[in-house]
């Protein structure tokens, strides 16, 4: 199974290709981010996971929904990047993206946070479903003891 870091890194690579005129970075705390790029930035944050009930009796496999968030910081002064074009590109890059060991990424919500110091701020929430699987204890694997051949009609 892909780790959370591998999933985030794959999405970052996809976003960098879709929005080359912005700085695209992983950022745990977008509110504290200091924008230095002349056009703007797209910040990807991992916000946690939701887990479904275990699917098997042993409780070793659960569906996991990763919650991710894109924060777009777009400069207004001398902007070469239009807000709606940047939002469209970010949404298009994410929706349906097959992150490693995940179902295609889904969009959850989009919000305009406001304009402050000449910087427009937007947030897009994303979700990606994957599985959390327990590591097998070495030496405790089931042993094949008999093989039979049965015909089914």
């Amino acid at each position: 199974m892909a780790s959370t870091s591998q999933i985030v890194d794959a999405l970052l690579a996809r976003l960098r290709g879709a929005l080359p005129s912005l700085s695209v970075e992983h950022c745990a705390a977008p509110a504290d981010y200091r924008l230095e790029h002349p056009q703007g930035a797209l910040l990807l944050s991992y916000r946690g996971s939701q887990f479904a009930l275990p699917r098997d009796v042993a409780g070793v496999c659960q569906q996991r929904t990763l919650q991710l968030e894109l924060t777009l910081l777009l400069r207004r002064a001398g902007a070469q990047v239009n807000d709606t074009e940047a939002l469209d590109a970010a949404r298009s890059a994410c929706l349906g993206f097959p992150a490693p060991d995940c179902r295609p990424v889904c969009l959850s919500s989009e919000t305009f946070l406001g304009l402050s110091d000449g910087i427009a701020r937007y947030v897009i929430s994303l979700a990606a479903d994957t599985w959390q699987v327990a590591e097998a204890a070495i030496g405790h694997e089931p042993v094949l003891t008999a093989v039979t051949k049965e015909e089914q009609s």
Side-chain angles (χ1 to χ4, degrees), residues 5-104:
S5 293
Q6 290 169 323
I7 294 166
V8 167
D9 288 346
L11 193 51
L12 282 171
R14 171 79 169 206
L15 289 162
R16 285 183 182 120
L19 293 149
S21 59
L22 299 179
S23 175
V24 177
E25 304 175 40
H26 178 259
C27 183
D32 298 333
Y33 182 81
R34 183 175 172 169
L35 180 61
E36 294 183 12
H37 191 277
Q39 295 303 310
L42 187 151
L43 309 173
L44 176 61
S45 306
Y46 170 68
R47 293 292 177 219
S49 293
Q50 300 258 333
F51 296 90
L53 294 174
R55 298 278 310 251
D56 58 36
V57 180
V60 297
C61 182
Q62 287 181 273
Q63 184 175 345
R64 174 185 177 204
T65 301
L66 285 88
Q67 298 167 338
L68 303 160
E69 192 173 86
L70 300 178
T71 302
L72 280 86
L73 306 173
L74 303 169
R75 289 195 190 276
R76 291 292 173 101
Q80 297 174 359
V81 179
N82 178 294
D83 292 13
T84 56
E85 290 172 2
L87 289 163
D88 288 344
R91 273 189 256 106
S92 293
C94 294
L95 181 61
F97 176 66
D101 296 326
C102 292
R103 289 191 176 139

